[in-house]
Amino acid sequence: EVQLLESGGGLVQPGESLRLSCAASGFTFSSYGLYWVRQAPGKGLEWVSAISGSGSNTYYADSVKGRFTISRDNSKNTLYLQMNSLRAEDTAVYYCAKPLGSGRNFFDYWGQGTLVTVSS
Amino acid sequence: EIVLTQSPDTLSLSPGDRATLSCRASQSVSTYLAWYQQKPGQAPRLLIYDASNRATGMPARFSGSGSGTDFTLTISSLEPEDFAVYYCQHRSNWPLTFGGGTKVEIK
C-alpha cells in the first residue's frame, strides 16, 4: 500500500526557514518523480515543485523559485522541501504527491498534508 | 502559463441529480487533463485522468470528456458522498496548474 507522510510544518515568522519532509513507502521510490502541492486556507490547489526520480531534474512554480529547494534521498525514501525567506502568502497545507507514472503528472496518491503558517 | 477556468463556482443539486462541471483551458492541453475530488479536511482524490479515464476504484457514475480547451466532468446520479469540491488540472507543460474549483453542494 502506497503511503506518503509529511512532517515539518509549523508556525514561523516572515523571513524564516522551514524544511518539510515526506516519508514514502509502498512503491519503488526512485522510479517516480515526486511533487509538492499546496493549498492556502479556504483556497484552491497550487503546484509548488517537482523532482525527477534520480533527483537530477527539478521544477518550481514562479511564486517559489529562488526561495524553495526540492530534494530527495532515495536511500531513505524521503522527499524534502527547503523553504527559505518565507512570506505570509506561503501559508498553506503542503501535500506531497505521487504521479501515475513517468511523464504522467497526475497524482494518484497524496499525503495527509502538513500546515505551514507564516505570521508575525 | 495555462489558465484553467472552472464553472460554475457552485452547483446546488439534490441527491440523484445529474451534475455537469466545466473546465476551460486558456490554450490547448490535448487530453492531458485530470479531475480531482476534495472533501473538507482531506487530500484531493484523483477521479479522472487523460480527460476520460477513470482512476482505479472510481465509480462508473463519474465520467469525463473533452479535448483541446473544453472539458466536462459528469456525475450521472449524485450520491450523498459526492458533495465536495472538484478541481481540474493539466499536465500539458510546466507549470502544472489547477482550476479554481467547483463546489457541489446539497440543494
Side-chain angles (χ1 to χ4, degrees), chain A residues 28-64:
Chain A
T28 305
F29 186 77
S30 60
S31 295
Y32 287 84
L34 290 169
Y35 297 72
W36 289 100
V37 176
R38 69 184 180 183
Q39 187 169 36
K43 302 298 184 182
L45 300 166
E46 180 189 17
W47 168 74
V48 173
S49 185
I51 187 168
S52 61
S54 66
S56 58
N57 296 303
T58 57
Y59 307 86
Y60 298 94
D62 284 347
S63 58
V64 306

Side-chain angles (χ1 to χ4, degrees), chain B residues 18-54:
Chain B
R18 182 183 186 90
T20 303
L21 287 67
S22 173
C23 177
R24 177 163 290 177
S26 59
Q27 63 190 77
S28 177
V29 298
S30 183
T31 57
Y32 299 144
L33 190 105
W35 292 92
Y36 298 86
Q37 177 193 69
Q38 188 179 34
K39 297 179 181 179
Q42 297 184 15
R45 180 172 71 154
L46 180 65
L47 294 174
I48 301 286
Y49 66 93
D50 290 343
S52 61
N53 296 297
R54 264 191 310 277

Side-chain angles (χ1 to χ4, degrees), chain A residues 10-24:
Chain A
L11 173 63
V12 295
Q13 296 192 346
E16 292 187 340
S17 299
L18 208 56
R19 188 177 84 155
L20 306 183
S21 300
C22 174

